[in-house]
Amino acid sequence: QVQVVESGGGLVQAGGSLRLSCAASGSIFAINDMGWYRQAPGKQRELVARISSDTSTNYADSVKDRFTISRDNAKNTVYLQMNRLKPEDTAVYYCNALVKITTTLPWVAVWGQGTLVTVSS
């Protein structure tokens, strides 16, 4: 089995910073894309940022120039540095990893349980 576990959420004032981490563990042969999504109350889950295995990235327009995604392949970990946070960034943040367990099985998307980020005004 493969698990991804997020950490680093919490309460922060507007303008502040937080760093989220997500570690994948278990029977992993390879990891392709890793990413962060978020879901605010009453809204659909949306992409925040993704990073490929060759470290190319893409961001939601709403977080460009404020958030930075990075990864440590040796640790199967992805990070999200969030700066200049706004109240509208308040949401549960979910980590997603595209993993292969063996060479013959297809890529599978694995989700974490989520970590709550609350930005006060």
Side-chain angles (χ1 to χ4, degrees):
Q1 275 192 332
V2 177
Q3 286 186 322
V4 292
V5 179
E6 305 98 335
S7 61
L11 174 64
V12 63
Q13 286 190 329
S17 298
L18 279 176
R19 189 191 195 210
L20 304 183
S21 300
C22 167
S25 62
S27 300
I28 298 172
F29 173 75
I31 301 178
N32 197 331
D33 287 11
M34 302 184 81
W36 290 95
Y37 292 73
R38 67 185 181 188
Q39 187 166 18
K43 294 190 176 181
Q44 289 190 329
R45 191 173 298 189
E46 63 177 2
L47 171 71
V48 176
R50 287 196 70 81
I51 184 167
S52 68
S53 55
D54 66 359
T55 68
S56 61
T57 59
N58 66 290
Y59 295 90
D61 288 342
S62 59
V63 307
K64 278 180 183 175
D65 301 323
R66 297 189 299 123
F67 291 10
T68 302
I69 190 170
S70 60
R71 66 190 285 171
D72 183 336
N73 291 330
K75 296 180 179 179
N76 290 339
T77 298
V78 63
Y79 305 97
L80 185 69
Q81 178 65 45
M82 305 185 293
N83 298 327
R84 304 199 310 277
L85 282 159
K86 304 176 181 179
E88 51 263 44
D89 293 319
T90 295
V92 177
Y93 283 69
Y94 296 92
C95 177
N96 171 273
L98 200 60
V99 304
K100 251 185 189 284
I101 298 175
T102 71
T103 56
T104 56
L105 290 176
W107 294 99
V108 175
V110 182
W111 290 91
Q113 294 295 308
T115 185
L116 177 62
V117 172
T118 304
V119 185
S120 63
S121 56

